[in-house]
């Protein structure tokens, strides 16, 4: 399983890039899992207490899982460790795991930059594979314009095709 973190500060384009690359993976017939860090400090919006799962959760269930119609929804009344979350999201052995955020965790990273101030902090991260934004870096590949979809996709496909152990995807 190939794993790539998409990191950057709020409104840097992480979700938009993830959506784009999920489409690239789907077009290639690859299974993709996404793990997102909710970095907005508040609680995650939960299902309405009008739903059964919302009612169970509201009454104090630690875990609620609802399945049917080809979908499933899991609600946890705690925040598991990064490792546990990764295990949950990859339970079905996807081809690719895309992670939005979790910049301090180990792994290969694409860094989205809004300004030089962002780069001052984010250039210290380990595992940087690509920087997207208006910076000059001799150390890492850079795509300056985040609207360059073909260039972004080309980099991503090249990354996908790099060997993992002895396999390519």
């Amino acid at each position: 399983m190939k794993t790539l973190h998409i990191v950057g500060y709020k409104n840097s384009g992480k979700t938009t890039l993830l959506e784009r690359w999920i489409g690239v993976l789907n077009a290639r017939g690859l299974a993709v899992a996404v793990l997102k860090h909710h970095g907005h400090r508040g609680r995650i919006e939960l299902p309405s207490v009008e739903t059964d799962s919302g009612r169970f959760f509201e009454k104090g269930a630690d875990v609620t899982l609802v399945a049917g119609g080809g979908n499933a929804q899991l609600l946890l009344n705690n925040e598991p460790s990064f490792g546990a979350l990764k295990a949950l999201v990859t339970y079905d052995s996807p081809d690719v795991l895309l992670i939005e955020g979790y910049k301090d965790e180990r792994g290969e990273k694409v860094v989205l930059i809004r300004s030089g101030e962002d780069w001052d902090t984010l250039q210290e991260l380990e595992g940087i594979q690509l920087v997207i934004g208006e910076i000059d870096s001799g150390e890492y590949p850079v795509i300056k314009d985040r609207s360059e979809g073909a260039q972004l996709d080309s980099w991503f496909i090249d990354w996908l095709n790099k060997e993992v152990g002895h396999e390519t995807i």
Side-chain angles (χ1 to χ4, degrees):
M1 175 181 68
K2 299 233 18 180
T3 301
L4 185 64
H5 293 246
I6 311 302
V7 302
Y9 293 112
K10 186 176 178 177
N11 295 321
S12 60
K14 298 179 302 294
T15 299
T16 301
L17 183 60
L18 274 166
E19 290 171 333
R20 177 176 195 86
W21 285 349
I22 290 167
V24 169
L25 294 167
N26 285 191
R28 294 173 147 261
L30 298 172
V32 59
V34 177
L35 173 58
K36 176 184 171 50
H37 183 249
H38 176 69
H40 304 292
R41 304 262 193 264
R43 290 181 56 92
I44 295 170
E45 188 174 322
L46 297 173
S48 164
V49 293
E50 304 297 318
T51 64
D52 291 347
S53 58
R55 290 171 55 193
F56 302 148
F57 203 67
E58 183 73 17
K59 290 295 182 184
D62 293 314
V63 179
T64 301
L65 183 114
V66 178
N71 294 324
Q73 180 181 60
L74 174 66
L75 299 175
L76 306 172
N77 209 1
N78 64 19
E79 185 174 343
S81 69
F82 176 73
L85 290 169
K86 245 177 107 172
L88 277 170
V89 78
T90 60
Y91 77 94
D92 205 18
S93 302
D95 299 307
V96 179
L97 170 60
L98 297 175
I99 301 172
E100 183 176 332
Y102 291 101
K103 66 181 176 287
D104 294 325
E105 298 293 339
R106 291 184 56 191
E108 295 185 334
K109 296 176 181 76
V110 171
V111 179
L112 286 95
I113 303 299
R114 300 170 304 179
S115 69
E117 292 170 0
D118 287 0
W119 184 237
D120 290 343
T121 306
L122 296 173
Q123 68 182 319
E124 302 301 322
L125 295 177
E126 293 182 16
I128 296 174
Q129 305 297 302
L130 174 68
V131 179
I132 301 170
E134 291 286 334
I135 62 126
D136 291 315
S137 170
E139 192 172 350
Y140 307 107
V142 175
I143 297 175
K144 291 190 182 251
D145 186 351
R146 70 192 74 235
S147 68
E148 286 294 326
Q151 195 176 5
L152 292 167
D153 293 351
S154 176
W155 180 89
F156 185 59
I157 291 165
D158 288 347
W159 175 83
L160 276 174
N161 290 328
K162 276 199 273 182
E163 289 194 19
V164 180
H166 298 293
E167 301 175 38
T168 58
I169 292 183

